[in-house]
Amino acid sequence: MDRNSEKNQFRGIIPPMITPLLNEDELDFEGLGKLINHIVVGGVHGIFILGTTGESTSLPYPIRHRLVEETCNLVKKRVPILVGITDTAVSESLKLAQTAKYSGASALVAAPPYYFNLGQPELIEYYEYLADRLPLPLFLYNMPSHTKINIEPETVKKLSEHENIIGLKDSSGNTAYFNKLLFHMKDDPGFSLFVGPEEIMAETVLLGGHGGVNGGANMFPELYVKLYDAAVTGDIKKVRELHALVMNISAGLYSLGKFGSSYLKGLKCALHLLGICNDYMSSPLNKFRKEEKSRLVVNLEEIQKKLQASKILTQNKKKDQ
Amino acid sequence: MDRNSEKNQFRGIIPPMITPLLNEDELDFEGLGKLINHIVVGGVHGIFILGTTGESTSLPYPIRHRLVEETCNLVKKRVPILVGITDTAVSESLKLAQTAKYSGASALVAAPPYYFNLGQPELIEYYEYLADRLPLPLFLYNMPSHTKINIEPETVKKLSEHENIIGLKDSSGNTAYFNKLLFHMKDDPGFSLFVGPEEIMAETVLLGGHGGVNGGANMFPELYVKLYDAAVTGDIKKVRELHALVMNISAGLYSLGKFGSSYLKGLKCALHLLGICNDYMSSPLNKFRKEEKSRLVVNLEEIQKKLQASKILTQNKKKDQ
Amino acid sequence: MDRNSEKNQFRGIIPPMITPLLNEDELDFEGLGKLINHIVVGGVHGIFILGTTGESTSLPYPIRHRLVEETCNLVKKRVPILVGITDTAVSESLKLAQTAKYSGASALVAAPPYYFNLGQPELIEYYEYLADRLPLPLFLYNMPSHTKINIEPETVKKLSEHENIIGLKDSSGNTAYFNKLLFHMKDDPGFSLFVGPEEIMAETVLLGGHGGVNGGANMFPELYVKLYDAAVTGDIKKVRELHALVMNISAGLYSLGKFGSSYLKGLKCALHLLGICNDYMSSPLNKFRKEEKSRLVVNLEEIQKKLQASKILTQNKKKDQ
Amino acid sequence: MDRNSEKNQFRGIIPPMITPLLNEDELDFEGLGKLINHIVVGGVHGIFILGTTGESTSLPYPIRHRLVEETCNLVKKRVPILVGITDTAVSESLKLAQTAKYSGASALVAAPPYYFNLGQPELIEYYEYLADRLPLPLFLYNMPSHTKINIEPETVKKLSEHENIIGLKDSSGNTAYFNKLLFHMKDDPGFSLFVGPEEIMAETVLLGGHGGVNGGANMFPELYVKLYDAAVTGDIKKVRELHALVMNISAGLYSLGKFGSSYLKGLKCALHLLGICNDYMSSPLNKFRKEEKSRLVVNLEEIQKKLQASKILTQNKKKDQ
């Protein structure tokens, strides 16, 4: 694979898609169709399925494979699809990669195996073993709060020499770390660097980052696309305006629960309230109960008003007709 | 299930069996047979498969199910079998539990789901959801270094009210914590409390613990059984003598690598050197290379001599003929 | 200094003395006198001042120096005094060591400097620098929860070669770690190994540990001394009986608050209720408020009844007359 | 104190000054004079002494007080001085605050007490106790890697109601967290929000942050001031150019050691090589040895060439004549 070919250079907003579910073992197919259409029409540059936001590690394996096939079917090549294959068992990662390949996905994403506490040399061996066997190019996925290991800059540099490894998504929230990666990789434009937390997308793109894998783009894809565009072109006034809206979403929708999962629960609950899909969350998480939900209803309305005032949501409405 | 029935009260040495492998996707069946026979003849009180020592989370799912079936076949009810069903996806845990049930296993063991960072209330909900649906009684498995969450004493107390939850295995190494559990549960003898690290088995049994899930019992089961017996009867002189041998094993075999996985790599390498099974380790771990292996050869010989001097290994040799 | 001389071989129960205070900047001298007498008459083998239990790091420096002098005056050589000199500024540690020396203390205790995140080689350099300049022999103090660094077994081994370093107090609660230290140092009886948490004192002494630096011995010194004696002589029946009392104290008095400081707050509150000293806690901790205090009153009474039933407290009462 | 008064609204580049030392107990007065002049002439908006970069917690107390007096003398009111009073003993913080007040400093900075593991309510009580007694306004200082506690956004919001608390310096590197603070405090311009790591200064100022407390400004103050100015005015082209220089400094000077202290050691070594002051580091840190130093010499020269090419250093040279 030539990672400097145009098709392997990812840029822009690639939402980490939530996984619409009816219950522990069933996809919400209707919701999935609506969600995909909503996101794609919103102008995003790709879709990332089976990430943390997609509750990947909580889903039974048949569901994971089915979701890959169905998403590829529904997207119909309108945007590239990235498939999360993060797993503690490398053979299961490889099987899912095969499903991704024959279904027509474009790339794969893998966080470090998250059970054992690995050293950096063990991590390098792991990724090389994996990348050697993958039928599609691979993004590294840094997620130290969940995997207990940070992919150190020197490790990224070493792994970037593998022709099958084409980028990294950083969900650490640590922009000092991310800026070090950008600096280390500045002479290698074929290596794409994305951030997860939407609260830092604008600023990282302003300083050379390649895009955002932002959960909020499940709800309001246009907002994130416009913010990305403003950041790429250096339109700092527009960036400040739209970034404030993202911070409103973050404060109003992602902080209502008591645990680390507040973001995920808030996002799925909001998508349900927006009429897009079911809000079932797979174990070990549980959807918001009445109290959090009623606070979210209020906050969501306020945010929608602000988005309308900024002419983000009107377009959205038209599109859905 | 009546957890106070005799059949559900586990006591003694229950080795966390390593998983003999030929490669990433194949069990070493010959090694498995030899290993099981070696352990059972050694006098253990049960076998725990698919734990951390069994590299459970690294194994492809078909291998996990196959291992359950094959182990039950080979053990032939000589000792009870406990099956690890730890998983991030609760549906996969339930499937493996079904395989355990129809294969004839006696109980199940589950650590907290290890991807998301859960709060204690979320953890309680998870275990209750799981225990409600299991066809066999369940041991909790505390393993904070790998799961990022400690099962707090209050949580254990709450979960112990569930009739399907019959005990806990603690691999934290923190005996202050374990003694708190023993104290909290002292009026509930149907709730079994085991420790993982063999370095602390003797002392916890001396003070009321119910046994050890000790990796070294894969190699030298008699040693651990005798140490357990001495501790239960309060034969402190014998305890001190045999405990010193366990510490020799810990120092000589489990500390030769550079990372957290030294214990696991050393154990599997030693079993290979003892002629019992293959030393292939599944990704993301790798077996010891030449340097560590040659140091381990020396240490293993010294330990065998000490075990012979203490009359542990002679019996072992006879048994194998 | 000859660490193998008898005077440098510490054994037994050495309570980490709480620091009686009237307010942020004043010692409770009356309470201090009563407390010291209470502890010494209780039969302990030494007193350790200015440890974590003594709120050392919270005290203004003049108070620290004054406490050393006053304690030495009051103890009058009846038992050896160990002085905590843990500090982030090594020069302040050295000054306090001088005060300890001229006041007549016997040894010093230092945890790693707790602000910077040190590597093990940096830690070795620090301790060697310190030990080279101390006028009294030094105990290492392992306290990873507060200092963010574990003194690794290899580091202890290396530092034990320094003639001025005579032992280690481990407050990690991790007995697997402590047993490794005992094993590493087994041929060096001049190196004393103590544990902090009283919940594990009995078992570590049973297996070769040299004693306990147990907070509860501020309240009930005889209990801890008898438990230590029983453990040293291997009287396992007595150990189990007295250990159960210690666990009652731990459960009833140290777990009533919401934060990591519950142990410290409970201990100081109980000493106040026992009429020994003031319960003022220096910032950033605060003494228990009404609710926790009233629960503690109930628990303390129950414990006193149990201690009387076991003939621990009767002796105590006589002694105080 | 009126925190909305102009004099209490801090903005811009406020270098965390390193502390020039001759040895463990002596300031390098000559170096201090040169360093202060170098920084002030470089155009900074203030100087922060006795922070982490100033090795505050490692310095003996007389040195801390002397440094406050001497710095105030040397600065001669050209820029405001902020004094770090972080301590585990609140009385020592208060004493240092008095010295700061009578010496003419403008504000104080305090990280959470760093020994005990506090809960957020305990942290609020601590800061309120402290702020009630301070003679100068206070900045909170978030430094979770060193203090083991994150000052949560809700806690900041609560503390911002105290009239004596006028801002926060965040050294977490986590810009997602910092952006949440900016959002929470957006209607309270009298509350100043600064970041520590220079790798993220530009982007946070672009999105509303008030400045940087950046170590590199000890060496090249003009660079950081110009970068700040470019960010405030939204000159994104200039920001990208100068930010790249900062990343060169970060990569070339702060990553040469093996431990967390590489930044500090590199910075002090570079200042020595620049002829500004001694490179003695107080225990428990140690200055770079030959190997790291010789690599730093090479990197520093390259950086100086780049700064000259960007017309940053020429001005610097003129100024020093």
Side-chain angles (χ1 to χ4, degrees):
Chain A
M1 274 157 279
D2 176 10
R3 87 175 181 206
N4 288 307
S5 75
E6 207 182 308
K7 96 173 204 302
N8 284 334
Q9 288 196 21
F10 293 91
R11 296 291 183 272
I13 297 301
I14 303 180
M17 199 177 79
I18 65 109
T19 302
L21 292 167
L22 294 179
N23 56 50
E24 210 57 54
D25 295 295
E26 269 184 282
L27 288 169
D28 167 13
F29 285 108
E30 193 190 327
L32 181 63
K34 283 167 85 171
L35 177 60
I36 287 175
N37 202 51
H38 174 70
I39 296 173
V40 172
V41 174
V44 301
H45 306 83
I47 291 182
F48 168 40
I49 59 172
L50 292 174
T52 304
T53 301
E55 296 169 82
S56 169
T57 57
S58 306
L59 303 175
Y61 281 80
I63 294 278
R64 297 187 209 182
H65 287 266
R66 190 81 174 83
L67 180 72
V68 175
E69 296 165 341
E70 196 67 19
T71 303
C72 289
N73 279 343
L74 290 164
V75 170
K76 292 196 181 61
K77 299 280 177 194
R78 287 176 290 175
V79 296
I81 295 172
L82 285 73
V83 176
I85 57 168
T86 302
D87 211 296
T88 54
V90 76
S91 294
E92 298 295 343
S93 294
L94 292 172
K95 280 185 229 163
L96 201 56
Q98 290 304 333
T99 297
K101 169 72 177 175
Y102 80 67
S103 302
S106 297
L108 305 166
V109 182
Y114 42 96
Y115 189 69
F116 289 112
N117 295 285
L118 301 181
Q120 298 289 319
E122 291 178 315
L123 191 58
I124 290 172
E125 285 187 17
Y126 166 79
Y127 272 124
E128 288 178 344
Y129 178 94
L130 183 67
D132 283 348
R133 286 159 182 76
L134 289 178
L136 289 170
L138 177 69
F139 272 81
L140 310 176
Y141 178 4
N142 192 43
M143 186 62 168
S145 62
H146 289 55
T147 64
K148 305 184 297 279
I149 184 169
N150 199 52
I151 312 180
E152 294 297 332
E154 286 305 314
T155 298
V156 176
K157 201 160 189 182
K158 172 77 183 149
L159 289 172
S160 73
E161 292 165 12
H162 196 293
E163 62 163 7
N164 223 356
I165 297 178
I166 62 165
L168 178 142
K169 176 204 168 185
D170 176 34
S171 288
S172 71
N174 189 321
T175 325
Y177 164 83
F178 187 74
N179 283 345
K180 283 176 198 171
L181 294 187
L182 280 176
F183 180 79
H184 272 301
M185 304 304 302
K186 66 181 183 305
D187 301 324
D188 192 351
F191 196 82
S192 303
L193 287 161
F194 282 73
V195 290
E198 54 206 76
E199 295 88 353
I200 62 173
M201 186 270 284
E203 67 197 78
T204 52
V205 172
L206 277 169
L207 291 183
H210 300 123
V213 181
N214 308 140
N218 280 279
M219 298 180 286
F220 310 114
E222 293 90 348
L223 170 61
Y224 296 82
V225 171
K226 286 179 185 217
L227 178 51
Y228 169 78
D229 288 342
V232 164
T233 55
D235 180 349
I236 188 67
K237 192 162 153 271
K238 194 81 187 162
V239 164
R240 286 172 183 162
E241 178 199 335
L242 300 178
H243 172 73
L245 293 171
V246 169
M247 291 311 301
N248 265 287
I249 290 168
S250 170
L253 307 184
Y254 303 157
S255 321
L256 300 176
K258 265 173 293 185
F259 307 111
S261 49
S262 295
Y263 150 72
L264 212 46
K265 292 175 179 174
L267 177 57
K268 212 160 189 176
C269 186
L271 283 164
H272 179 58
L273 292 171
L274 290 169
I276 293 174
C277 64
N278 201 320
D279 61 350
Y280 185 86
M281 300 210 67
S282 56
S283 173
L285 303 180
N286 282 291
K287 63 179 177 181
F288 274 156
R289 282 155 203 173
K290 226 180 234 175
E291 195 221 319
E292 288 98 348
K293 199 168 179 173
S294 61
R295 288 168 60 204
L296 199 136
V297 166
V298 176
N299 293 355
L300 184 58
E301 269 175 30
E302 274 178 35
I303 286 162
Q304 286 179 299
K305 274 181 207 154
K306 284 187 179 153
L307 290 173
Q308 281 156 1
S310 295
K311 313 258 170 99
I312 305 283
L313 264 200
T314 325
Q315 297 174 285
N316 199 17
K317 289 293 159 193
K318 274 191 205 135
K319 172 202 77 194
D320 280 349
Q321 288 165 357
Chain B
M1 272 159 280
D2 176 9
R3 86 175 180 206
N4 288 308
S5 77
E6 205 180 310
K7 97 172 203 300
N8 284 335
Q9 288 197 21
F10 292 90
R11 296 293 183 270
I13 298 301
I14 303 180
M17 199 177 77
I18 65 110
T19 302
L21 294 165
L22 294 178
N23 55 51
E24 212 56 58
D25 295 294
E26 270 184 281
L27 288 169
D28 167 13
F29 285 107
E30 194 191 325
L32 180 63
K34 283 167 86 170
L35 176 61
I36 287 175
N37 203 50
H38 175 70
I39 295 174
V40 173
V41 174
V44 302
H45 305 84
I47 291 181
F48 167 42
I49 59 173
L50 292 174
T52 304
T53 302
E55 295 170 81
S56 169
T57 56
S58 306
L59 302 175
Y61 281 81
I63 294 278
R64 298 187 208 183
H65 288 265
R66 190 81 175 83
L67 181 72
V68 175
E69 295 166 341
E70 195 66 19
T71 302
C72 290
N73 279 344
L74 289 164
V75 170
K76 292 196 180 60
K77 300 278 177 194
R78 288 176 289 174
V79 295
I81 295 171
L82 285 73
V83 175
I85 58 168
T86 302
D87 211 296
T88 54
V90 75
S91 295
E92 298 295 343
S93 293
L94 292 172
K95 280 184 229 165
L96 201 55
Q98 290 303 334
T99 298
K101 169 71 177 174
Y102 80 67
S103 301
S106 298
L108 306 165
V109 182
Y114 42 96
Y115 189 69
F116 289 113
N117 295 285
L118 301 181
Q120 297 289 321
E122 291 177 316
L123 192 58
I124 290 172
E125 285 186 18
Y126 167 78
Y127 270 124
E128 287 178 344
Y129 178 95
L130 183 67
D132 283 349
R133 285 160 181 75
L134 289 177
L136 289 170
L138 177 70
F139 272 80
L140 310 176
Y141 179 3
N142 192 43
M143 186 62 168
S145 61
H146 289 57
T147 64
K148 306 184 296 280
I149 185 169
N150 199 53
I151 312 179
E152 295 297 333
E154 287 305 313
T155 298
V156 176
K157 201 159 189 182
K158 171 77 184 149
L159 289 172
S160 73
E161 293 165 13
H162 195 294
E163 62 162 8
N164 223 356
I165 296 178
I166 62 166
L168 178 142
K169 175 204 167 184
D170 176 34
S171 288
S172 70
N174 189 320
T175 324
Y177 164 83
F178 188 74
N179 283 346
K180 283 177 198 170
L181 294 188
L182 280 177
F183 180 79
H184 272 301
M185 304 304 302
K186 65 181 183 305
D187 301 324
D188 192 350
F191 195 82
S192 302
L193 288 162
F194 283 73
V195 291
E198 54 206 73
E199 295 88 352
I200 62 173
M201 186 268 285
E203 67 198 78
T204 52
V205 172
L206 277 170
L207 291 184
H210 300 123
V213 181
N214 308 139
N218 280 279
M219 298 180 286
F220 310 114
E222 293 89 348
L223 170 61
Y224 297 82
V225 171
K226 285 179 186 217
L227 178 51
Y228 169 78
D229 288 342
V232 164
T233 55
D235 180 349
I236 187 69
K237 194 163 152 268
K238 196 78 187 164
V239 163
R240 285 170 184 163
E241 179 200 335
L242 300 179
H243 172 73
L245 292 171
V246 169
M247 291 311 299
N248 265 287
I249 290 168
S250 170
L253 307 184
Y254 303 158
S255 322
L256 300 176
K258 267 173 292 185
F259 307 111
S261 50
S262 295
Y263 149 71
L264 211 46
K265 292 175 179 175
L267 177 57
K268 211 160 190 176
C269 186
L271 283 163
H272 179 58
L273 291 171
L274 290 169
I276 292 174
C277 64
N278 202 320
D279 61 350
Y280 185 85
M281 300 210 67
S282 56
S283 173
L285 304 180
N286 282 289
K287 63 179 176 181
F288 274 155
R289 282 154 203 175
K290 228 180 233 175
E291 195 220 320
E292 288 98 347
K293 199 168 179 172
S294 61
R295 288 168 59 203
L296 199 136
V297 166
V298 176
N299 292 356
L300 184 57
E301 268 175 30
E302 274 179 35
I303 286 161
Q304 285 178 300
K305 273 181 209 156
K306 283 186 179 155
L307 290 172
Q308 280 156 1
S310 295
K311 313 257 171 100
I312 305 284
L313 265 201
T314 324
Q315 296 175 285
N316 199 16
K317 288 292 162 193
K318 273 190 206 135
K319 174 200 78 196
D320 280 350
Q321 288 168 355
Chain C
M1 273 158 276
D2 176 9
R3 85 174 181 209
N4 288 307
S5 76
E6 207 181 308
K7 95 171 205 301
N8 283 336
Q9 287 196 23
F10 293 90
R11 296 292 183 269
I13 298 300
I14 302 179
M17 198 177 78
I18 65 109
T19 301
L21 293 166
L22 294 179
N23 55 51
E24 211 57 55
D25 294 294
E26 269 185 282
L27 286 171
D28 167 13
F29 285 107
E30 192 192 328
L32 181 63
K34 283 167 86 172
L35 177 60
I36 286 174
N37 203 50
H38 175 69
I39 295 173
V40 172
V41 175
V44 301
H45 307 83
I47 291 182
F48 167 42
I49 60 172
L50 291 175
T52 304
T53 301
E55 297 169 80
S56 169
T57 57
S58 306
L59 302 175
Y61 280 81
I63 294 278
R64 297 187 209 182
H65 287 266
R66 189 82 173 83
L67 180 72
V68 174
E69 295 166 341
E70 195 67 18
T71 302
C72 289
N73 279 344
L74 290 164
V75 169
K76 293 195 179 62
K77 299 279 178 195
R78 287 176 289 175
V79 296
I81 295 172
L82 285 73
V83 176
I85 57 168
T86 301
D87 211 297
T88 54
V90 76
S91 293
E92 298 295 344
S93 294
L94 292 172
K95 280 184 228 163
L96 201 56
Q98 290 303 334
T99 298
K101 169 73 177 173
Y102 80 66
S103 302
S106 298
L108 306 165
V109 183
Y114 42 97
Y115 188 69
F116 289 112
N117 295 285
L118 301 181
Q120 297 290 320
E122 289 177 316
L123 190 58
I124 290 172
E125 285 186 18
Y126 167 78
Y127 271 123
E128 288 178 343
Y129 178 95
L130 182 67
D132 282 350
R133 285 157 182 76
L134 289 177
L136 289 170
L138 177 69
F139 272 80
L140 310 177
Y141 179 3
N142 193 42
M143 186 62 167
S145 62
H146 289 55
T147 63
K148 306 184 295 280
I149 185 169
N150 199 53
I151 312 179
E152 295 296 333
E154 286 305 314
T155 298
V156 176
K157 201 160 190 182
K158 171 78 184 149
L159 289 171
S160 72
E161 292 165 13
H162 196 293
E163 62 163 8
N164 223 356
I165 297 179
I166 62 165
L168 178 143
K169 176 204 168 186
D170 176 35
S171 288
S172 70
N174 188 321
T175 325
Y177 164 83
F178 188 74
N179 283 345
K180 283 176 198 171
L181 294 187
L182 280 177
F183 181 79
H184 272 300
M185 304 304 301
K186 67 181 183 302
D187 302 324
D188 192 351
F191 195 83
S192 302
L193 288 162
F194 283 73
V195 291
E198 55 206 73
E199 296 87 352
I200 62 173
M201 186 269 284
E203 67 198 77
T204 52
V205 172
L206 277 170
L207 292 183
H210 300 125
V213 182
N214 307 140
N218 280 279
M219 299 180 286
F220 310 114
E222 294 89 347
L223 170 61
Y224 296 82
V225 171
K226 286 181 185 216
L227 178 50
Y228 169 76
D229 288 342
V232 164
T233 56
D235 181 348
I236 187 70
K237 195 164 151 268
K238 195 80 187 162
V239 164
R240 286 171 183 162
E241 179 200 333
L242 300 178
H243 171 73
L245 292 170
V246 170
M247 292 311 301
N248 265 287
I249 291 167
S250 169
L253 306 184
Y254 302 157
S255 322
L256 299 176
K258 267 173 293 185
F259 307 111
S261 49
S262 296
Y263 149 73
L264 212 45
K265 292 175 179 174
L267 177 57
K268 212 159 188 176
C269 186
L271 283 164
H272 179 58
L273 292 171
L274 289 169
I276 294 174
C277 63
N278 202 319
D279 61 350
Y280 184 85
M281 300 210 66
S282 56
S283 173
L285 302 181
N286 281 290
K287 63 178 176 182
F288 273 155
R289 283 156 201 174
K290 227 180 233 174
E291 194 221 319
E292 288 98 347
K293 199 170 179 171
S294 60
R295 287 168 60 204
L296 200 135
V297 167
V298 176
N299 292 355
L300 184 58
E301 270 175 28
E302 274 178 36
I303 285 161
Q304 287 178 298
K305 275 181 207 156
K306 283 188 180 154
L307 290 172
Q308 281 156 1
S310 295
K311 314 254 169 101
I312 305 284
L313 264 200
T314 324
Q315 297 174 285
N316 199 18
K317 289 292 159 195
K318 276 191 204 133
K319 173 201 77 193
D320 280 349
Q321 287 166 1
Chain D
M1 274 159 276
D2 177 9
R3 85 175 181 206
N4 288 308
S5 76
E6 206 180 309
K7 96 170 202 303
N8 283 336
Q9 287 196 23
F10 293 91
R11 297 293 184 269
I13 298 301
I14 303 179
M17 198 177 77
I18 64 110
T19 301
L21 293 166
L22 293 179
N23 55 51
E24 212 55 57
D25 294 294
E26 270 184 281
L27 288 170
D28 167 13
F29 285 107
E30 192 192 327
L32 181 63
K34 284 167 84 172
L35 177 61
I36 287 174
N37 204 50
H38 175 71
I39 295 174
V40 172
V41 175
V44 301
H45 306 83
I47 291 182
F48 167 42
I49 59 173
L50 291 174
T52 304
T53 301
E55 296 169 81
S56 168
T57 57
S58 306
L59 301 176
Y61 281 81
I63 294 277
R64 298 188 208 183
H65 287 266
R66 190 80 174 84
L67 181 72
V68 174
E69 296 165 341
E70 195 67 19
T71 303
C72 290
N73 280 343
L74 290 165
V75 169
K76 292 196 179 60
K77 298 279 178 196
R78 288 175 290 174
V79 296
I81 294 172
L82 286 73
V83 175
I85 58 168
T86 302
D87 211 296
T88 54
V90 76
S91 295
E92 298 295 343
S93 294
L94 292 172
K95 280 184 230 163
L96 201 55
Q98 290 303 335
T99 299
K101 169 73 176 174
Y102 80 67
S103 301
S106 299
L108 306 165
V109 183
Y114 42 97
Y115 189 69
F116 290 112
N117 295 285
L118 302 181
Q120 297 289 321
E122 290 177 316
L123 191 58
I124 289 171
E125 285 186 18
Y126 167 78
Y127 271 124
E128 287 178 344
Y129 178 95
L130 183 67
D132 282 349
R133 286 158 181 76
L134 289 178
L136 288 171
L138 177 70
F139 272 80
L140 310 177
Y141 179 3
N142 192 42
M143 186 61 167
S145 61
H146 289 55
T147 64
K148 307 184 296 279
I149 185 169
N150 199 53
I151 313 179
E152 294 297 333
E154 287 305 314
T155 297
V156 176
K157 202 160 189 180
K158 170 77 185 151
L159 289 171
S160 72
E161 293 165 13
H162 196 293
E163 63 163 8
N164 223 356
I165 297 179
I166 62 165
L168 178 142
K169 176 203 167 187
D170 176 35
S171 288
S172 70
N174 189 323
T175 325
Y177 163 83
F178 187 75
N179 283 345
K180 283 177 198 170
L181 294 187
L182 280 176
F183 181 79
H184 273 300
M185 304 305 300
K186 65 182 183 304
D187 301 324
D188 192 351
F191 195 82
S192 302
L193 288 162
F194 282 73
V195 291
E198 55 206 74
E199 295 88 352
I200 62 174
M201 186 269 284
E203 67 197 77
T204 52
V205 171
L206 277 170
L207 292 183
H210 301 123
V213 182
N214 307 141
N218 281 279
M219 299 179 285
F220 310 114
E222 294 89 347
L223 170 61
Y224 296 83
V225 171
K226 285 179 186 215
L227 178 50
Y228 169 77
D229 288 343
V232 164
T233 56
D235 180 348
I236 187 69
K237 194 163 152 269
K238 195 80 186 162
V239 164
R240 285 172 185 162
E241 179 199 334
L242 299 178
H243 171 73
L245 292 171
V246 170
M247 292 311 300
N248 265 287
I249 290 168
S250 169
L253 307 184
Y254 303 157
S255 322
L256 298 176
K258 267 173 292 186
F259 307 112
S261 49
S262 296
Y263 149 73
L264 212 45
K265 292 175 179 174
L267 177 57
K268 211 159 190 178
C269 186
L271 283 163
H272 179 58
L273 292 171
L274 290 168
I276 293 174
C277 64
N278 202 319
D279 60 349
Y280 184 85
M281 299 210 67
S282 56
S283 173
L285 303 181
N286 282 290
K287 63 179 176 181
F288 274 155
R289 282 154 201 175
K290 227 180 232 176
E291 195 221 318
E292 289 97 347
K293 199 168 180 173
S294 61
R295 288 167 60 204
L296 199 136
V297 167
V298 176
N299 293 355
L300 185 56
E301 271 175 28
E302 274 178 35
I303 286 161
Q304 287 178 298
K305 274 181 207 155
K306 283 186 179 155
L307 290 172
Q308 281 155 0
S310 295
K311 313 255 170 101
I312 305 284
L313 265 200
T314 324
Q315 295 175 287
N316 199 18
K317 288 293 159 193
K318 275 191 205 132
K319 173 200 78 194
D320 280 350
Q321 287 166 359

